[in-house]
Amino acid sequence: MLMEFTTKNYKSFKNKMVFTMVPAPKQKGLDYSILNKKIGSKVYKGLCSAVIYGPNASGKTNIIGAMEVLKGIVLRGHIRNRNAQKTPNAAVDFLELIPNCASNVKESVDFSIKFIEDGILFEYELSIDIGNFLEAECDRKILMEALSVNERLIFKRSSSLEFGDMKAIKKYLVNEFEDNEEGAKTLAKGNLNDEELFLTNGFKAMFSARLVNIISNWFKNKFIVIYRADALHLVRKISKPKKHTIYREEVIDRAVKAFGVNTSELGYFISQDDSKALLCSILDDKPIPAELFESHGTIRFANMFPLILDAIAIGGTLVVDEFDASLHPMALMSIVNIFHNDDINTKNAQLIFNTHNPIFLNPNLFRRDEIKFVECDDPTQGSIHYSLSDFGTSGEKGVRREDDYMKYYFVSQYGAIKEVDFTPIFEELLNEGKEI
């Protein structure tokens, strides 16, 4: 369960950006949106959903992009580039694309994430020097790295490597650690690599592979970040696949029938020349590539729905850019309600997405602290992030639960909206006698 994510000097977010899934105080109503997790004697609360609004080019996607970058760095264990781009988010693979392009002074790029997994509250912080924007030849360096477990520091790496109380993770330590603790710490301090994470290298090898595996598995399997959902193309993995074979998916087919597809059955097909099972429409037991027969919205839904199933089944955090593009509002509302349903969402799954669709500005659907905004500050061209709950409930700018959120958003009561008028462009072209 994601509790908080922060970043600084990531693309348009020059200043520190804090994206929290912790409920704001004094929020009444919609208590079904609250997830509860008890660790020891303390109960931690998290939101099960969040929707992000803002005009084009404001920085909404950069929040999701920053999450994917940190995930990518943790899973590969270093801050070096990949040899080739493997994701639509190029900054995951080529880190020189990350720093704010308007900055003339070299600053660190900072990330931190707080999440609960396997009954443990983790907080991981990372600060890196990767030079200025597009400075590919910079000697990269990890400036700071820290791990806390249940609010107790385990290690902190800066100019030196410091350790907290290892008793906090006693049951996760490698065998006979107590007998070799001082030697392990000395060896770790002498073998730090400027470009490699201590978490997934030295700490994993010499201190606690079990603990790091819990962290890595959460990032890999439960932190499901989809950057540019329009490019999502789900490839079905089938054990012992057979060539020229159709694989029917009953659950997916039931979902697309509920979605509105009644002319065909959806499944996966492995051709004679390929080993991958690709989405297809099935008519009279004959497979047709889905992109030749189905609408773009149907294909997007069929590719997205398995991820929703996975998130609900394992208690994952599903973060999606432009989640609602090409999908009907009724389908979207139903999916959101699944995450809000305590009888179905029993594993503390979360849904986070950005959108331009105003239907979610509804006090009967989302709490004020679940409605997030991003706007671009014109003088600095930097992104600013805040929640509807930040306005409070009193005063001229106060936001109350009975308010018409959609109405006030479109009259710029909350910001994060920009008036767009193309008329002067066309008038100028016509006045100049140019063809349109």
Side-chain angles (χ1 to χ4, degrees):
M1 180 169 72
L2 178 66
M3 303 297 290
E4 184 179 278
F5 174 81
T6 77
T7 190
K8 181 182 178 183
N9 195 30
Y10 179 87
K11 293 191 175 182
S12 61
F13 287 99
K14 179 175 174 55
N15 298 320
K16 185 176 181 179
M17 185 282 302
V18 180
F19 186 91
T20 182
M21 293 296 286
V22 177
K26 301 179 181 179
Q27 296 288 294
K28 296 180 180 179
L30 301 186
D31 290 338
Y32 55 73
S33 295
I34 302 298
L35 308 173
N36 295 282
K37 197 72 175 179
K38 188 174 182 180
I39 301 177
S41 60
K42 190 170 183 179
V43 176
Y44 292 90
K45 296 185 176 183
L47 300 171
C48 70
S49 60
V51 56
I52 310 170
Y53 282 94
N56 291 109
S58 61
K60 300 186 304 298
T61 298
N62 288 343
I63 294 178
I64 296 172
M67 292 179 178
E68 189 184 30
V69 165
L70 178 60
K71 173 179 177 174
I73 290 174
V74 169
L75 291 181
R76 67 178 182 254
H78 59 75
I79 57 171
R80 296 184 290 272
N81 282 350
R82 284 177 175 156
N83 293 327
Q85 185 174 341
K86 297 183 179 181
T87 168
N89 183 5
V92 174
D93 305 299
F94 308 112
L95 302 188
E96 63 269 15
L97 297 174
I98 292 176
N100 183 272
C101 62
S103 178
N104 296 320
V105 180
K106 185 169 72 172
E107 297 182 34
S108 65
V109 175
D110 301 342
F111 300 100
S112 74
I113 192 164
K114 189 181 295 185
F115 62 95
I116 295 174
E117 176 62 8
D118 204 24
I120 304 171
L121 175 65
F122 293 99
E123 183 172 8
Y124 180 67
E125 302 171 78
L126 182 66
S127 178
I128 57 179
D129 176 5
I130 52 177
N132 288 325
F133 180 66
L134 294 181
E135 190 180 348
E137 302 302 319
C138 172
D139 291 329
R140 296 178 177 178
K141 184 178 182 179
I142 296 172
L143 301 175
M144 192 279 292
E145 182 185 7
L147 174 68
S148 296
V149 169
N150 295 337
E151 302 183 26
R152 297 170 69 178
L153 181 69
I154 303 303
F155 72 78
K156 184 174 182 179
R157 166 191 187 177
S158 51
S159 56
S160 60
L161 182 59
E162 303 172 7
F163 292 93
D165 185 2
M166 289 296 159
K167 293 180 181 178
I169 57 170
K170 183 177 180 179
K171 70 177 184 178
Y172 298 97
L173 294 169
V174 297
N175 294 333
E176 302 178 355
F177 176 80
E178 291 183 358
D179 297 335
N180 303 288
E181 181 173 354
E182 293 307 316
K185 289 179 178 179
T186 300
L187 187 62
K189 292 176 181 178
N191 285 274
L192 292 175
N193 184 299
D194 284 348
E195 295 185 339
E196 294 183 354
L197 304 185
F198 178 62
L199 173 71
T200 50
N201 292 283
F203 185 76
K204 179 178 181 179
M206 293 183 282
F207 293 82
S208 181
R210 285 181 60 197
L211 201 67
V212 174
N213 285 338
I214 293 172
I215 295 170
S216 298
N217 288 337
W218 183 83
F219 272 104
K220 182 179 180 180
N221 300 315
K222 290 193 174 182
F223 194 36
I224 310 167
V225 185
I226 308 300
Y227 182 91
R228 279 200 58 193
D230 63 317
L232 179 66
H233 185 70
L234 192 68
V235 177
R236 177 76 161 83
K237 293 182 179 180
I238 298 174
S239 59
K240 298 180 180 180
K242 296 180 181 179
K243 299 282 188 179
H244 205 70
T245 302
I246 296 173
Y247 291 86
R248 287 173 164 82
E249 293 281 355
E250 181 182 351
V251 175
I252 302 299
D253 192 57
R254 286 175 57 193
V256 296
K257 290 291 189 294
F259 183 70
V261 177
N262 296 305
T263 58
S264 64
E265 180 183 359
L266 285 186
Y268 294 89
F269 177 70
I270 299 179
S271 68
Q272 193 67 34
D273 303 321
D274 201 347
S275 60
K276 296 179 180 179
L278 300 178
L279 187 68
C280 67
S281 302
I282 305 170
L283 291 140
D284 297 328
D285 287 329
K286 295 180 181 179
I288 302 173
E291 61 268 20
L292 299 180
F293 190 79
E294 306 293 349
S295 70
H296 181 62
T298 298
I299 294 172
R300 285 203 70 229
F301 177 79
N303 282 324
M304 188 71 66
F305 196 74
L307 299 177
I308 298 167
L309 289 174
D310 286 347
I312 293 293
I314 65 176
T317 298
L318 178 60
V319 186
V320 189
D321 176 51
E322 300 288 359
F323 174 68
D324 58 333
S326 302
L327 301 183
H328 193 278
M330 294 300 290
L332 299 168
M333 298 280 272
S334 179
I335 292 170
V336 170
N337 286 331
I338 291 295
F339 284 84
H340 287 180
N341 190 324
D342 291 337
D343 295 327
I344 296 176
N345 187 10
T346 59
K347 300 287 185 67
N348 289 350
Q350 296 169 298
L351 175 65
I352 300 168
F353 63 99
N354 59 24
T355 184
H356 295 288
N357 194 329
I359 66 167
F360 303 110
L361 291 166
N362 184 336
N364 295 314
L365 184 63
F366 282 98
R367 293 161 49 98
R368 293 190 297 275
D369 47 12
E370 292 178 302
I371 299 175
K372 316 286 189 178
F373 297 105
V374 179
E375 68 176 6
C376 184
D377 179 62
D378 287 335
T380 65
Q381 291 300 300
S383 294
I384 302 169
H385 163 66
Y386 52 95
S387 299
L388 190 59
S389 57
D390 292 340
F391 288 89
T393 58
S394 60
E396 184 179 344
K397 294 286 187 178
V399 180
R400 287 158 285 276
R401 189 175 182 273
E402 64 272 14
D403 285 349
D404 185 338
Y405 298 165
M406 187 188 302
K407 170 186 173 183
Y408 287 120
Y409 176 62
F410 278 107
V411 296
S412 200
Q413 181 80 8
Y414 312 137
I417 192 169
K418 187 174 183 179
E419 183 179 344
V420 178
D421 183 7
F422 298 117
T423 304
I425 298 174
F426 287 86
E427 289 178 341
E428 182 178 345
L429 290 173
L430 291 170
N431 290 335
E432 293 176 355
K434 295 181 180 179
E435 292 185 2
I436 297 179

